[in-house]
Structures are given as C-alpha cells and as structure tokens.
Amino acid sequence: QVQLVESGGGLVQPGGSLRLSCAISGSIISIDAMGWYRQAPGKERELVASGISGGTTVYADSVKGRFTISRDNAKNTVYLQMNMLKPEDTAVYYCNIRMVVAGTWRSLEVWGQGTLVTVSS
C-alpha cells in the first residue's frame, strides 16, 4: 500500500523559510503529477503549486517568486520550498501525488496527512 508522509511544518517568523517534504512509502514506477495545497482556518483548500512529469510547474499568484515545488526521483520525495513567508501563508499544507504503482502499473492519486505551517512573530 502506498502512502505519503509529510514533514517540515512548524512555527516560523515572517520573512523566514521552511521546506516541506512529502515522501512516498511503497514501490512506484513514476510520479506523473505532484501538487501542494493548503487550507487555512475557515477557508477552502486551495492549490499552492503543482508540477507534471514534463517539468511544467504552476503556482498560485500569492506564492509566485516565493515558493518552489520540486522532486527527488531517487528518494521518491516531493518538496515545497517556502521563502519570505507571510502570516497569510499560515495553513495546513497537503501534498497530492499521482503515481504509477509498481507491480500493478495502476495509476493512483494519494493525499498526504497534512502538516501545519504557522507564520507568526
């Protein structure tokens, strides 16, 4: 069974940086698409950044130039580097990965459990 394990959240001061990680546990063939979403209290979940296997990435206007989505295929891990953090970035961050599972060659979309990022002085 394939699962995603998120880490890297925490409390950071405005202007600081954090790197979120989303590690895939289980055997996969490929990562076809990846994304990071966030949900602030009282708000709907929103897309922060996404990427596809061809290399194209998309960012929400609110994070462009500050956040970077990336992947390490050798480690089966997806990252979100967050710089120049603002209080309005405070939210629970979720990774979402669409992958091809080894053995079955089945396409599977999985969500991480979420990690809390708090930006406050």
Side-chain angles (χ1 to χ4, degrees), residues 34-96:
M34 57 189 185
W36 286 94
Y37 294 75
R38 68 186 181 188
Q39 187 166 19
K43 295 187 177 181
E44 294 186 353
R45 189 174 297 188
E46 63 174 353
L47 177 67
V48 175
S50 66
I52 60 174
S53 58
T56 301
T57 55
V58 176
Y59 295 92
D61 287 343
S62 58
V63 307
K64 281 181 181 177
R66 300 189 297 123
F67 290 11
T68 303
I69 187 171
S70 63
R71 59 196 277 183
D72 184 329
N73 290 328
K75 295 182 178 180
N76 281 345
T77 300
V78 172
Y79 302 98
L80 183 69
Q81 178 67 43
M82 304 185 295
N83 299 326
M84 295 182 288
L85 282 160
K86 304 176 181 180
E88 51 262 44
D89 295 319
T90 296
V92 177
Y93 284 71
Y94 299 89
C95 61
N96 174 273

Side-chain angles (χ1 to χ4, degrees), residues 8-14 18 20 82 85-93 115-121:
L11 173 64
V12 64
Q13 292 186 342
L18 283 175
L20 305 182
M82 304 185 295
L85 282 160
K86 304 176 181 180
E88 51 262 44
D89 295 319
T90 296
V92 177
Y93 284 71
T115 185
L116 177 62
V117 172
T118 303
V119 184
S120 175
S121 55

